[in-house]
Amino acid sequence: MEITVQWIRTSWTKRSRGGEAASRRNAAPIGFALPHVEVASAHVIRMHERDGFEPYDTHEDRGKVDVQLREADGRLRVLPRVEPLFALPPRPRRPPAVRLTPGQWVRWRLNYRFSSMAGMQDWSYWLDTFNIAYGPVNADVFLSTPTVFVDEQGPVR
């Protein structure tokens, strides 16, 4: 069965926490039309404060995307990994994995705050959005409303 993965990472610093920069960041898309990608690839979009949150897209091997994907019994189990143990917010209890049937898709959002180890630099922030579809899709699938939406964003002050 086809699996389509789109990973959007938005990153910023304290300078974009408020005002016009925060408005641009908050207006950034959470889904993009799909280019033609190979079966084992993921559509990866990066948006950063230094570029005015303009999207830059590329393709990466699906195995490099921070999400667990497992097919079993005609369903796809989806669970993003939370790798940065030094980041906030703490996630003592995470939502359970989502199990998609063919024709369904999930949008899963997680945020992080990082500080330098010595405390010498400003905080930095990430927002990861994973759009994952199970089964054949059209190029505009991630511009529509997801079958399942998981908002795992926490307070990052």
Side-chain angles (χ1 to χ4, degrees):
M1 185 68 66
E2 290 180 43
I3 300 170
T4 306
V5 175
Q6 184 176 79
W7 177 21
I8 304 164
R9 173 164 287 163
T10 307
S11 53
W12 66 97
T13 67
K14 197 172 179 181
R15 291 185 300 268
S16 293
R17 292 260 343 248
E20 186 179 320
S23 295
R24 277 194 311 276
R25 175 176 49 83
N26 290 331
I30 57 175
F32 291 84
L34 293 167
H36 176 70
V37 295
E38 294 184 24
V39 175
S41 292
H43 182 214
V44 178
I45 297 101
R46 299 287 182 251
M47 295 181 283
H48 195 278
E49 166 187 85
R50 70 178 165 259
D51 302 319
F53 300 103
E54 286 296 316
Y56 170 77
D57 71 325
T58 186
H59 301 98
E60 290 184 21
D61 181 86
R62 206 167 56 204
K64 293 183 179 182
V65 177
D66 287 335
V67 65
Q68 294 175 357
L69 302 171
R70 291 202 184 112
E71 283 184 281
D73 302 323
R75 303 182 90 161
L76 177 67
R77 181 181 181 274
V78 178
L79 182 65
R81 294 181 196 101
V82 177
E83 296 289 342
L85 298 176
F86 53 89
L88 292 174
R91 299 180 203 278
R93 291 192 54 167
R94 296 200 55 218
V98 170
R99 287 177 172 75
L100 302 175
T101 59
Q104 294 183 326
W105 72 277
V106 61
R107 174 171 287 141
W108 198 309
R109 302 188 87 198
L110 298 114
N111 63 339
Y112 304 91
R113 182 187 80 191
F114 302 93
S115 63
S116 67
M117 294 194 60
M120 301 298 287
Q121 296 179 0
D122 271 344
W123 292 341
S124 61
Y125 303 86
W126 287 354
L127 174 59
D128 281 340
T129 302
F130 298 98
N131 295 318
I132 300 168
Y134 191 46
V137 295
N138 63 39
D140 294 337
V141 64
F142 297 137
L143 302 178
S144 65
T145 303
T147 310
V148 180
F149 178 70
V150 180
D151 187 354
E152 200 177 349
Q153 296 180 76
V156 289
R157 286 177 260 178

